[in-house]
Amino acid sequence: EIVLTQSPATLSLSPGERATLSCRASQSVSSYLAWYQQKPGQAPRLLIYDASNRATGIPARFSGSGSETDFTLTISSLEPEDFAVYYCQQRSNWPITFGQGTRLEIK
Amino acid sequence: QLQLQESGPGLVKPSETLSLTCTVSGGSISSSSYYWGWVRQPPGKGLDWIGSIYYSGSTSYNPSLKSRVTISVDTSENHFSLRLSSVTAADTAVYYCARLMGIRGWFDPWGQGTLVTVSS
């Protein structure tokens, strides 16, 4: 099973700042990594698929990069609605696995 | 616009079987491009993939749950279902259904989720 480790666990930033979230895989997942945003009481929402492709309707301030074992989700300038929990997910190997999440909170 | 909606009991007794259905609207569950899956989230914790199914009935399960999980599909009703047997308190979670982009893909969109509590 591929383990995804997200860092930091919690990130405290202010609106307008740049956010950089990390996801590291225990073995190569090629570019088969997705990112999701989850707000309290809501289902996760797909942001990025296959490392760097924005899902439909996702603002351009969200971008993904990386390959093999190291991936980054960048939010270029935080909006108030971006404060949430973010998860990465790999689809390279069975079973499908998720990271433990990074909580992005308002500083 | 594709929508998914979970339904089923919110309370299940220990050792019994959890049963949930995901109804798909705004699109056909028989589309050749997609799979359909279940993900759960224990309170305050992260996401765990349970399993996935194709409209033909082909399934994939998480090995950690495989002995207790059955996922089925009913194309005439445009829904798919989850059964999890011999539940314990550790199975208490919000259960989500979602569409998968491919056999081992990413999840989009998701249902709103339903909380299932295992308690006597």
Short mmCIF file of all heavy atoms in Angstrom, two decimals, chain A residues 26-64:
data_model
loop_
_atom_site.label_atom_id
_atom_site.label_comp_id
_atom_site.label_asym_id
_atom_site.label_seq_id
_atom_site.Cartn_x
_atom_site.Cartn_y
_atom_site.Cartn_z
N SER A 26 5.17 7.16 -0.50
CA SER A 26 6.15 6.19 -0.01
C SER A 26 6.86 5.47 -1.15
O SER A 26 7.90 4.84 -0.94
CB SER A 26 5.49 5.18 0.92
OG SER A 26 4.45 4.50 0.24
N GLN A 27 6.29 5.54 -2.35
CA GLN A 27 6.94 5.05 -3.56
C GLN A 27 6.36 5.82 -4.74
O GLN A 27 5.34 6.51 -4.59
CB GLN A 27 6.74 3.53 -3.73
CG GLN A 27 5.31 3.11 -3.94
CD GLN A 27 5.16 1.60 -3.90
OE1 GLN A 27 5.18 0.98 -2.84
NE2 GLN A 27 5.00 1.00 -5.07
N SER A 28 6.99 5.70 -5.88
CA SER A 28 6.57 6.50 -7.01
C SER A 28 5.11 6.24 -7.40
O SER A 28 4.66 5.10 -7.48
CB SER A 28 7.45 6.21 -8.23
OG SER A 28 6.96 6.91 -9.36
N VAL A 29 4.39 7.34 -7.64
CA VAL A 29 3.02 7.26 -8.17
C VAL A 29 2.96 7.91 -9.55
O VAL A 29 1.87 8.25 -10.04
CB VAL A 29 2.00 7.91 -7.21
CG1 VAL A 29 1.99 7.18 -5.88
CG2 VAL A 29 2.27 9.39 -7.02
N SER A 30 4.13 8.09 -10.17
CA SER A 30 4.20 8.78 -11.45
C SER A 30 3.55 10.17 -11.30
O SER A 30 3.94 10.92 -10.42
CB SER A 30 3.54 7.94 -12.53
OG SER A 30 3.71 8.54 -13.80
N SER A 31 2.57 10.48 -12.13
CA SER A 31 1.86 11.75 -11.97
C SER A 31 0.42 11.52 -11.53
O SER A 31 -0.43 12.41 -11.63
CB SER A 31 1.87 12.53 -13.27
OG SER A 31 1.20 11.79 -14.29
N TYR A 32 0.15 10.31 -11.01
CA TYR A 32 -1.23 9.92 -10.70
C TYR A 32 -1.65 10.37 -9.31
O TYR A 32 -1.97 9.55 -8.43
CB TYR A 32 -1.39 8.43 -10.87
CG TYR A 32 -1.12 7.94 -12.27
CD1 TYR A 32 -0.33 6.82 -12.50
CD2 TYR A 32 -1.65 8.61 -13.37
CE1 TYR A 32 -0.08 6.37 -13.79
CE2 TYR A 32 -1.40 8.17 -14.66
CZ TYR A 32 -0.63 7.05 -14.86
OH TYR A 32 -0.37 6.61 -16.14
N LEU A 33 -1.65 11.68 -9.11
CA LEU A 33 -1.99 12.24 -7.81
C LEU A 33 -3.03 13.33 -7.98
O LEU A 33 -2.97 14.14 -8.90
CB LEU A 33 -0.75 12.84 -7.13
CG LEU A 33 -1.03 13.20 -5.67
CD1 LEU A 33 -0.41 12.19 -4.74
CD2 LEU A 33 -0.61 14.61 -5.35
N ALA A 34 -4.01 13.31 -7.07
CA ALA A 34 -5.08 14.30 -7.08
C ALA A 34 -5.11 15.05 -5.75
O ALA A 34 -4.61 14.55 -4.74
CB ALA A 34 -6.43 13.63 -7.34
N TRP A 35 -5.71 16.24 -5.79
CA TRP A 35 -5.89 17.05 -4.59
C TRP A 35 -7.38 17.38 -4.43
O TRP A 35 -8.06 17.67 -5.42
CB TRP A 35 -5.12 18.36 -4.70
CG TRP A 35 -3.63 18.24 -4.63
CD1 TRP A 35 -2.78 18.12 -5.69
CD2 TRP A 35 -2.82 18.26 -3.46
NE1 TRP A 35 -1.47 18.05 -5.24
CE2 TRP A 35 -1.48 18.13 -3.87
CE3 TRP A 35 -3.09 18.37 -2.09
CZ2 TRP A 35 -0.41 18.12 -2.97
CZ3 TRP A 35 -2.04 18.36 -1.19
CH2 TRP A 35 -0.71 18.24 -1.63
N TYR A 36 -7.82 17.38 -3.17
CA TYR A 36 -9.21 17.70 -2.84
C TYR A 36 -9.25 18.75 -1.74
O TYR A 36 -8.35 18.81 -0.90
CB TYR A 36 -9.96 16.45 -2.33
CG TYR A 36 -10.03 15.32 -3.31
CD1 TYR A 36 -8.99 14.40 -3.41
CD2 TYR A 36 -11.13 15.17 -4.16
CE1 TYR A 36 -9.04 13.37 -4.32
CE2 TYR A 36 -11.19 14.13 -5.07
CZ TYR A 36 -10.15 13.24 -5.15
OH TYR A 36 -10.20 12.20 -6.05
N GLN A 37 -10.31 19.52 -1.75
CA GLN A 37 -10.60 20.48 -0.69
C GLN A 37 -11.85 20.03 0.04
O GLN A 37 -12.83 19.64 -0.60
CB GLN A 37 -10.85 21.86 -1.30
CG GLN A 37 -11.23 22.95 -0.33
CD GLN A 37 -11.77 24.17 -1.06
OE1 GLN A 37 -12.84 24.14 -1.67
NE2 GLN A 37 -11.02 25.26 -1.02
N GLN A 38 -11.81 20.07 1.36
CA GLN A 38 -13.01 19.72 2.14
C GLN A 38 -13.28 20.80 3.19
O GLN A 38 -12.42 21.08 4.02
CB GLN A 38 -12.86 18.36 2.82
CG GLN A 38 -14.15 17.91 3.49
CD GLN A 38 -14.04 16.54 4.13
OE1 GLN A 38 -13.00 16.14 4.64
NE2 GLN A 38 -15.15 15.79 4.10
N LYS A 39 -14.46 21.35 3.14
CA LYS A 39 -14.91 22.31 4.14
C LYS A 39 -15.78 21.60 5.15
O LYS A 39 -16.35 20.53 4.85
CB LYS A 39 -15.67 23.46 3.46
CG LYS A 39 -14.78 24.25 2.51
CD LYS A 39 -15.54 25.37 1.84
CE LYS A 39 -14.61 26.13 0.90
NZ LYS A 39 -15.31 27.24 0.19
N PRO A 40 -15.91 22.16 6.37
CA PRO A 40 -16.67 21.48 7.44
C PRO A 40 -18.09 21.14 6.99
O PRO A 40 -18.80 21.98 6.43
CB PRO A 40 -16.66 22.52 8.56
CG PRO A 40 -15.42 23.30 8.34
CD PRO A 40 -15.27 23.40 6.85
N GLY A 41 -18.47 19.89 7.23
CA GLY A 41 -19.82 19.45 6.92
C GLY A 41 -20.08 19.22 5.45
O GLY A 41 -21.23 18.97 5.06
N GLN A 42 -19.04 19.29 4.63
CA GLN A 42 -19.22 19.11 3.19
C GLN A 42 -18.39 17.93 2.69
O GLN A 42 -17.44 17.50 3.34
CB GLN A 42 -18.80 20.37 2.43
CG GLN A 42 -19.65 21.59 2.72
CD GLN A 42 -19.25 22.77 1.85
OE1 GLN A 42 -18.57 22.64 0.82
NE2 GLN A 42 -19.69 23.97 2.25
N ALA A 43 -18.78 17.45 1.52
CA ALA A 43 -18.00 16.42 0.85
C ALA A 43 -16.73 17.02 0.27
O ALA A 43 -16.67 18.23 -0.01
CB ALA A 43 -18.82 15.78 -0.26
N PRO A 44 -15.71 16.22 0.06
CA PRO A 44 -14.52 16.71 -0.63
C PRO A 44 -14.86 17.17 -2.04
O PRO A 44 -15.82 16.69 -2.66
CB PRO A 44 -13.59 15.49 -0.66
CG PRO A 44 -14.05 14.64 0.49
CD PRO A 44 -15.53 14.84 0.54
N ARG A 45 -14.08 18.11 -2.53
CA ARG A 45 -14.22 18.62 -3.89
C ARG A 45 -12.91 18.45 -4.62
O ARG A 45 -11.85 18.85 -4.10
CB ARG A 45 -14.64 20.09 -3.87
CG ARG A 45 -14.75 20.72 -5.27
CD ARG A 45 -15.27 22.13 -5.21
NE ARG A 45 -14.34 23.09 -4.66
CZ ARG A 45 -14.20 24.35 -5.07
NH1 ARG A 45 -14.92 24.78 -6.10
NH2 ARG A 45 -13.37 25.17 -4.47
N LEU A 46 -12.96 17.88 -5.82
CA LEU A 46 -11.75 17.69 -6.60
C LEU A 46 -11.21 19.04 -7.08
O LEU A 46 -11.93 19.84 -7.67
CB LEU A 46 -12.06 16.81 -7.82
CG LEU A 46 -10.89 16.55 -8.78
CD1 LEU A 46 -9.83 15.67 -8.12
CD2 LEU A 46 -11.40 15.91 -10.07
N LEU A 47 -9.93 19.26 -6.82
CA LEU A 47 -9.26 20.48 -7.28
C LEU A 47 -8.33 20.22 -8.46
O LEU A 47 -8.38 20.91 -9.48
CB LEU A 47 -8.42 21.08 -6.15
CG LEU A 47 -9.10 21.52 -4.87
CD1 LEU A 47 -8.04 21.95 -3.87
CD2 LEU A 47 -10.09 22.64 -5.14
N ILE A 48 -7.45 19.23 -8.27
CA ILE A 48 -6.37 18.94 -9.21
C ILE A 48 -6.33 17.44 -9.45
O ILE A 48 -6.47 16.66 -8.50
CB ILE A 48 -5.00 19.37 -8.63
CG1 ILE A 48 -4.97 20.86 -8.30
CG2 ILE A 48 -3.87 18.99 -9.58
CD1 ILE A 48 -4.92 21.79 -9.49
N TYR A 49 -6.17 17.01 -10.69
CA TYR A 49 -5.99 15.60 -10.98
C TYR A 49 -4.73 15.39 -11.81
O TYR A 49 -4.28 16.30 -12.51
CB TYR A 49 -7.22 15.01 -11.68
CG TYR A 49 -7.53 15.60 -13.03
CD1 TYR A 49 -7.02 15.04 -14.20
CD2 TYR A 49 -8.36 16.72 -13.15
CE1 TYR A 49 -7.30 15.57 -15.43
CE2 TYR A 49 -8.64 17.27 -14.38
CZ TYR A 49 -8.12 16.69 -15.53
OH TYR A 49 -8.41 17.22 -16.76
N ASP A 50 -4.19 14.21 -11.68
CA ASP A 50 -2.94 13.87 -12.37
C ASP A 50 -1.88 14.95 -12.21
O ASP A 50 -1.27 15.41 -13.17
CB ASP A 50 -3.22 13.53 -13.84
CG ASP A 50 -3.91 12.19 -13.98
OD1 ASP A 50 -4.07 11.47 -12.96
OD2 ASP A 50 -4.31 11.82 -15.09
N ALA A 51 -1.72 15.34 -10.96
CA ALA A 51 -0.64 16.21 -10.47
C ALA A 51 -0.82 17.69 -10.80
O ALA A 51 -0.53 18.54 -9.94
CB ALA A 51 0.72 15.74 -10.97
N SER A 52 -1.26 18.01 -12.01
CA SER A 52 -1.21 19.42 -12.39
C SER A 52 -2.41 19.92 -13.19
O SER A 52 -2.40 21.07 -13.64
CB SER A 52 0.06 19.67 -13.21
OG SER A 52 0.05 18.88 -14.38
N ASN A 53 -3.42 19.10 -13.35
CA ASN A 53 -4.58 19.50 -14.15
C ASN A 53 -5.70 20.00 -13.25
O ASN A 53 -6.18 19.26 -12.37
CB ASN A 53 -5.09 18.31 -14.97
CG ASN A 53 -4.05 17.82 -15.95
OD1 ASN A 53 -3.79 18.46 -16.97
ND2 ASN A 53 -3.44 16.69 -15.64
N ARG A 54 -6.12 21.24 -13.46
CA ARG A 54 -7.23 21.77 -12.66
C ARG A 54 -8.54 21.15 -13.11
O ARG A 54 -8.80 21.03 -14.32
CB ARG A 54 -7.31 23.29 -12.81
CG ARG A 54 -6.59 24.07 -11.72
CD ARG A 54 -6.92 25.54 -11.77
NE ARG A 54 -6.75 26.10 -13.10
CZ ARG A 54 -5.61 26.54 -13.57
NH1 ARG A 54 -4.52 26.48 -12.83
NH2 ARG A 54 -5.53 27.05 -14.80
N ALA A 55 -9.36 20.79 -12.13
CA ALA A 55 -10.69 20.26 -12.42
C ALA A 55 -11.59 21.39 -12.92
O ALA A 55 -11.29 22.57 -12.74
CB ALA A 55 -11.28 19.61 -11.18
N THR A 56 -12.70 21.00 -13.50
CA THR A 56 -13.64 21.97 -14.05
C THR A 56 -14.12 22.94 -12.99
O THR A 56 -14.52 22.54 -11.89
CB THR A 56 -14.86 21.24 -14.66
OG1 THR A 56 -14.40 20.34 -15.67
CG2 THR A 56 -15.83 22.22 -15.27
N GLY A 57 -14.03 24.22 -13.30
CA GLY A 57 -14.55 25.24 -12.40
C GLY A 57 -13.61 25.66 -11.29
O GLY A 57 -13.98 26.51 -10.47
N ILE A 58 -12.44 25.10 -11.23
CA ILE A 58 -11.49 25.44 -10.15
C ILE A 58 -10.72 26.70 -10.55
O ILE A 58 -10.15 26.76 -11.63
CB ILE A 58 -10.53 24.27 -9.88
CG1 ILE A 58 -11.33 23.02 -9.46
CG2 ILE A 58 -9.52 24.65 -8.81
CD1 ILE A 58 -12.24 23.21 -8.27
N PRO A 59 -10.66 27.69 -9.64
CA PRO A 59 -9.98 28.95 -9.98
C PRO A 59 -8.50 28.76 -10.28
O PRO A 59 -7.85 27.85 -9.76
CB PRO A 59 -10.17 29.79 -8.71
CG PRO A 59 -11.34 29.20 -8.02
CD PRO A 59 -11.31 27.74 -8.32
N ALA A 60 -7.98 29.65 -11.08
CA ALA A 60 -6.59 29.56 -11.53
C ALA A 60 -5.58 29.77 -10.40
O ALA A 60 -4.39 29.45 -10.56
CB ALA A 60 -6.34 30.59 -12.64
N ARG A 61 -6.02 30.28 -9.26
CA ARG A 61 -5.08 30.46 -8.14
C ARG A 61 -4.62 29.13 -7.54
O ARG A 61 -3.64 29.07 -6.81
CB ARG A 61 -5.67 31.34 -7.04
CG ARG A 61 -6.88 30.78 -6.34
CD ARG A 61 -7.39 31.76 -5.27
NE ARG A 61 -8.54 31.25 -4.53
CZ ARG A 61 -9.78 31.39 -4.92
NH1 ARG A 61 -10.06 32.03 -6.06
NH2 ARG A 61 -10.78 30.89 -4.20
N PHE A 62 -5.34 28.06 -7.88
CA PHE A 62 -4.95 26.72 -7.44
C PHE A 62 -4.08 26.08 -8.53
O PHE A 62 -4.46 26.03 -9.70
CB PHE A 62 -6.17 25.83 -7.21
CG PHE A 62 -7.00 26.22 -6.03
CD1 PHE A 62 -8.06 27.09 -6.17
CD2 PHE A 62 -6.72 25.70 -4.77
CE1 PHE A 62 -8.84 27.46 -5.08
CE2 PHE A 62 -7.49 26.06 -3.67
CZ PHE A 62 -8.55 26.95 -3.83
N SER A 63 -2.91 25.58 -8.13
CA SER A 63 -2.06 24.88 -9.08
C SER A 63 -1.37 23.72 -8.40
O SER A 63 -1.12 23.74 -7.19
CB SER A 63 -1.03 25.83 -9.70
OG SER A 63 -0.15 26.32 -8.71
N GLY A 64 -1.10 22.69 -9.18
CA GLY A 64 -0.43 21.51 -8.67
C GLY A 64 0.83 21.23 -9.47
O GLY A 64 0.90 21.51 -10.66
#
